[in-house]
């Protein structure tokens, strides 16, 4: 044998149609009103699954952004330089509507199935490159907060919906298209934003904002929704990178975070030195205003985590179909099949859940029941999907053995990326507390959602007992202490309901049996999945070549 001959390795997993090869996605899109989008989604999936896009993602993450705080003479620059591959992803995602397609030009919701169609694209894009999706998700979500100021949002919408990425450092009104970010987190508190110390003093035609933000991602966005203490209390503002007179606004970047993952994206520490900003919503109602944005970014966190789970699963299953150990392909070994099928079941559940949730957002404007579903389930779905992803990707990495631990395999990047979706936009405990808050504030509507889920899953194993447990645990005296168990169960109940709607009811039964009726062990490969069931699950997960 020649020393450069390669035996018993899988070919690269490249040039795939990310839509056509993903039966779970296709079913979830169809079940949630998006069947007519199939051809367009397949074109998107083919484009994003091309070898070139995998390589651009590598380049964008191997060449992280650089902060240029000052120029050679000591003048402030406050500019961040990104690799061309990052700009390419921004241009691709903006052109595909990921930053705006769920809005009409007048900032009202676009008609169904805008949320589902975008969610499918976002899920596929996340499989390839997640860092750039941070400003993409913030831009589309910001509209929900800006809607509180009709005159302002009317001026911004043509730039937001232009589907043109314009990376030039220019005032927003001179650009063909713009992106938006947000700054809430300060040193002393990210969850408890009421402790924000940044101040906003009224001035001619706006406010002067002074203070710091400890995390403010995508700092080259054209404007940021920030929270600051105004005379009337904590308020929401739009802070543009340029003042109305065209001069650079006083956003002084101190450092970029040296992050575990999410490397293609920049996350800054920033000081505002009497920076110009416009108020969004009433003074004192900052949290109420910005929470509309946060609901949408939480949805996107869950969609992105479902996407990276999908890519990890596809890589693992693809490899196992080629690699032989002890004269038998890994994908045929009963123990490996048990691991892969157990994982595939969670990946199916994750995509069914996020697409059903996107459907609830699609219908929310005209259907109070769907609005309540979106309100109650967004934190539950973010909690379960985003907290499942890290251990899921760890297991997928192990399916590739040593090769999985090596950068070129893509798995290390997915693994580093996974925890951030759980941490930002409300960490795990905060999501559980938010479910409790929804039950407290919108008790009747939220309980109706629980009843609807119980009805949708009535014949599935363990569903009735799970619905009873969720209702009991979340209303008891020790509700906070039980919240993780109950919110996780709530998300899995919703997943069983979502799977049941799709075209593979056997999967709903299997998911409910192994996750609701039986106790699911922390490790994959420990569920009671019969060999025949594993075969069905794995053939769905990735068609055999
Ligand atoms: C890469 C990255 C980018 C980011 N980009 C941005 C950005 O662009 N803009 C922005 O505003 N922020 C951003 N953040 C900040 C992020 O949103 C916060 O880190 C997050 O909200 C958590 O806030 P914290 O770090 O202050 O943690 P804390 O609020 O101190 O929370 C610490 C832990 O305590 C838990 N906890 C909090 N309250 C309770 C409670 N009552 N009971 C039980 N447990 C509780 C939390 O779940 C968490 O696990 C970013 C963070 C990261 C990592």
């Amino acid at each position: 044998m020649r020393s450069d001959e390669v035996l018993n390795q899988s070919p690269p997993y490249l040039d795939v149609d990310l839509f056509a090869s993903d039966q779970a996605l296709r079913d979830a899109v169809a079940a949630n009103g998006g069947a007519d989008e199939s051809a367009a989604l397949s074109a998107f999936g083919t484009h994003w699954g091309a070898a070139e896009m995998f390589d651009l993602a590598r380049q964008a993450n191997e060449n992280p952004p650089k902060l240029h705080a000052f120029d050679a003479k000591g003048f402030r620059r406050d500019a961040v330089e990104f690799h061309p591959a990052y700009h390419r992803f921004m241009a691709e995602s903006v052109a595909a509507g990921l930053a705006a397609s769920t809005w009409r030009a007048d900032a009202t919701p676009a008609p169904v199935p805008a949320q589902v169609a975008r969610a499918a694209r976002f899920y596929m894009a996340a499989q390839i490159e997640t860092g750039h999706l941070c400003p993409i998700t913030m831009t589309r979500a910001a509209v929900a907060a800006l809607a509180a100021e009709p005159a302002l949002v009317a001026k911004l919408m043509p730039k937001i919906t232009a589907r043109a990425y314009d990376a030039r450092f220019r005032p927003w009104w001179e650009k063909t298209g713009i992106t938006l970010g947000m700054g809430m987190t300060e040193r002393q508190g990210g969850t408890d934003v009421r402790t924000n110390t940044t101040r906003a003093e009224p001035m001619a035609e706006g406010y002067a904002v002074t203070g710091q933000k400890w995390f403010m991602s995508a700092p080259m966005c054209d404007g940021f929704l920030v929270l600051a203490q105004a005379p009337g209390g904590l308020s929401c503002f739009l802070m543009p990178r340029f003042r109305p007179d065209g001069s650079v606004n006083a956003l002084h970047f101190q450092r970029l975070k040296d992050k575990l993952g999410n490397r293609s994206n920049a996350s800054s520490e920033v000081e505002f030195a009497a920076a110009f900003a416009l108020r969004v919503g009433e003074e004192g109602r900052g949290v109420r205003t910005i929470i509309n944005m946060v609901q949408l970014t939480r949805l996107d966190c869950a969609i992105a985590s479902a996407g990276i789970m999908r890519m990890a699963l596809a890589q693992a299953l693809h490899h196992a179909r080629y690699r032989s150990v002890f004269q038998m392909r890994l994908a045929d070994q009963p123990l490996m099949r048990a691991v892969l099928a157990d994982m595939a079941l969670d990946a199916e559940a994750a995509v069914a859940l996020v697409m059903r949730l996107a459907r609830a957002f699609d219908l929310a404007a005209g259907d109070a029941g769907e609005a309540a579903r979106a309100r109650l389930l967004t934190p539950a779905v973010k909690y379960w999907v985003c907290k499942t992803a890290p251990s899921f990707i760890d297991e997928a990495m192990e399916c590739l053995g040593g090769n999985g631990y090596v950068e070129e395999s893509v798995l290390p990047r997915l693994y580093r990326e996974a925890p951030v979706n759980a941490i930002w936009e409300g960490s795990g405990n905060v999501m559980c507390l938010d479910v409790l808050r929804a039950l407290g504030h919108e008790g009747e509507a939220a309980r109706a959602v629980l009843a609807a889920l119980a009805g949708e899953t009535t014949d599935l194993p363990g569903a009735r007992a799970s619905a009873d447990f969720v209702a009991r645990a979340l209303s008891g005296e020790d509700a906070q202490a039980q919240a993780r168990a109950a919110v996780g169960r709530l998300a899995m109940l919703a997943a069983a309901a979502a799977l049941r709607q799709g075209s593979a009811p056997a999967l709903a039964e299997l998911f409910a049996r192994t996750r609701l009726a039986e106790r699911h062990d922390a490790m994959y490969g420990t569920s009671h999945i019969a060999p025949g069931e594993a075969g069905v699950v794995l053939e769905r997960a990735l068609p055999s070549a």
Side-chain angles (χ1 to χ4, degrees):
M1 187 189 136
R2 288 189 1 241
S3 64
D4 61 350
E5 198 174 351
V6 179
L7 295 175
N8 197 24
Q9 293 285 2
S10 57
Y13 184 72
L14 300 169
D15 291 322
V16 257
D17 177 342
L18 301 173
F19 186 71
S21 59
D22 188 345
Q23 183 75 49
L25 173 62
R26 281 168 25 219
D27 284 353
V29 166
N32 290 294
D36 292 348
E37 294 283 323
S38 294
L41 291 175
S42 184
F44 184 93
T46 304
H47 179 61
W48 278 77
E52 184 200 4
M53 297 297 261
F54 280 85
D55 194 53
L56 284 168
R58 176 191 64 73
Q59 293 177 43
N61 285 277
E62 283 180 3
N63 297 284
K66 288 191 192 111
L67 171 63
H68 301 288
F70 298 94
D71 72 6
K73 313 277 171 53
F75 293 104
R76 289 215 73 100
R77 276 191 65 194
D78 294 307
V80 176
E81 183 185 4
F82 291 88
H83 190 266
Y86 174 89
H87 290 301
R88 169 77 185 276
F89 280 112
M90 289 296 292
E92 292 276 356
S93 284
V94 168
L98 297 189
S101 62
T102 57
W103 301 109
R104 287 190 167 104
D106 64 356
T108 57
V112 294
Q115 292 277 358
V116 169
R118 175 190 173 275
R121 289 179 173 84
F122 198 82
Y123 164 89
M124 289 188 272
Q127 294 177 40
I128 304 301
E129 211 297 302
T130 35
H132 83 284
L133 291 176
C134 171
I136 295 292
T137 187
M138 290 194 293
T139 303
R140 88 101 178 196
V143 177
L146 291 166
E149 293 295 333
L152 176 61
V153 81
K155 283 190 230 160
L156 295 168
M157 280 315 276
K159 307 285 182 186
I160 293 173
T161 55
R163 295 204 181 193
Y165 175 59
D166 185 342
R168 291 173 303 159
F169 189 44
R170 288 275 175 77
W172 66 264
W173 55 91
E174 292 178 10
K175 296 178 64 164
T176 49
I178 60 171
T179 55
L180 300 169
M182 71 174 158
M184 294 196 287
T185 306
E186 298 189 0
R187 286 187 188 88
Q188 70 283 357
T191 302
D192 192 0
V193 291
R194 290 187 188 279
T195 65
N196 273 195
T197 58
T198 298
R199 296 183 327 278
E201 306 288 342
M203 57 180 264
E205 293 173 29
Y207 287 74
V209 177
T210 304
Q212 49 87 21
K213 295 292 168 186
W214 188 230
F215 280 91
M216 199 174 82
S217 290
M220 294 309 281
C221 284
D222 299 286
F224 300 86
L225 284 158
V226 301
L227 292 179
Q229 304 286 356
L234 192 65
S235 311
C236 181
F237 297 89
L238 176 69
M239 184 183 286
R241 287 299 311 270
F242 288 79
R243 295 192 189 90
D245 66 3
S247 62
V248 177
N249 204 2
L251 287 78
H252 297 162
F253 300 123
Q254 308 297 302
R255 294 197 278 188
L256 297 185
K257 302 285 191 187
D258 184 5
K259 297 177 287 184
L260 168 67
N262 199 251
R263 298 236 163 173
S264 64
N265 178 33
S267 299
S268 69
E269 295 167 14
V270 59
E271 299 282 340
F272 303 143
F276 171 82
L278 293 162
R279 182 166 43 74
V280 178
E282 290 170 36
E283 276 193 14
R285 292 176 68 82
V287 174
R288 181 62 66 92
T289 305
I290 211 163
I291 203 74
N292 296 326
M293 172 177 185
V294 172
Q295 278 293 92
L296 291 174
T297 55
R298 287 176 178 170
L299 167 64
D300 278 0
C301 285
I303 299 170
S305 284
I308 58 177
M309 285 167 65
R310 165 67 197 171
M311 178 51 70
L313 174 71
Q315 296 275 359
L317 188 49
H318 171 77
H319 183 74
R321 290 213 171 120
Y322 288 89
R323 179 80 161 181
S324 289
V325 176
F326 304 137
Q327 285 83 49
M328 197 198 266
R329 289 185 320 156
L330 281 174
D332 296 330
Q333 311 246 6
L335 181 50
M336 183 56 100
R337 289 176 76 75
V339 173
L340 288 167
D342 212 7
M343 290 169 63
L345 212 42
D346 272 356
E348 284 262 3
V351 70
L353 251 185
V354 298
M355 292 301 155
R356 177 62 185 90
L357 186 56
R359 171 79 169 161
F361 277 87
D362 255 338
L363 300 177
D367 183 332
E370 290 293 327
R373 187 181 279 251
R375 170 65 190 93
L376 182 72
L377 292 186
T378 299
V381 171
K382 180 185 185 287
Y383 170 73
W384 186 75
V385 178
C386 297
K387 299 289 288 177
T388 298
S391 56
F392 183 103
I393 294 164
D394 161 51
E395 200 64 65
M397 186 188 296
E398 196 168 319
C399 292
L400 279 86
N403 289 343
Y405 199 70
V406 171
E407 278 301 325
E408 291 101 317
S409 79
V410 175
L411 272 302
R413 175 150 49 82
L414 300 179
Y415 184 67
R416 285 195 298 271
E417 195 64 30
V420 77
N421 283 329
I423 291 175
W424 64 15
E425 303 302 311
S427 314
N429 287 355
V430 176
M431 291 301 88
C432 294
L433 293 173
D434 197 42
V435 171
L436 286 175
R437 193 172 303 117
L439 279 163
H441 288 183
E442 291 132 75
E444 208 174 309
R447 279 190 292 280
V449 176
L450 272 179
L453 287 175
E456 290 162 23
T457 52
T458 186
D459 54 347
L460 294 178
R464 177 71 188 271
S466 293
D468 290 348
F469 168 71
V470 171
R472 204 173 49 247
L474 293 178
S475 60
E477 277 188 3
D478 60 347
Q480 278 204 22
Q482 298 229 42
R484 276 196 172 216
V487 171
R489 194 76 73 89
L490 170 61
M492 288 188 280
L493 186 68
L499 284 168
R500 200 165 191 305
Q501 273 188 336
S503 59
L507 280 193
E509 171 91 19
L510 184 57
F511 182 83
R513 200 188 75 218
T514 54
R515 270 70 175 158
L516 299 178
E518 296 163 9
R519 201 180 136 72
H520 186 238
D521 199 283
M523 306 296 175
Y524 285 103
T526 53
S527 301
H528 292 126
I529 300 176
E533 293 170 330
V536 172
V537 172
L538 293 178
E539 201 45 44
R540 265 181 71 82
L542 196 66
S544 301

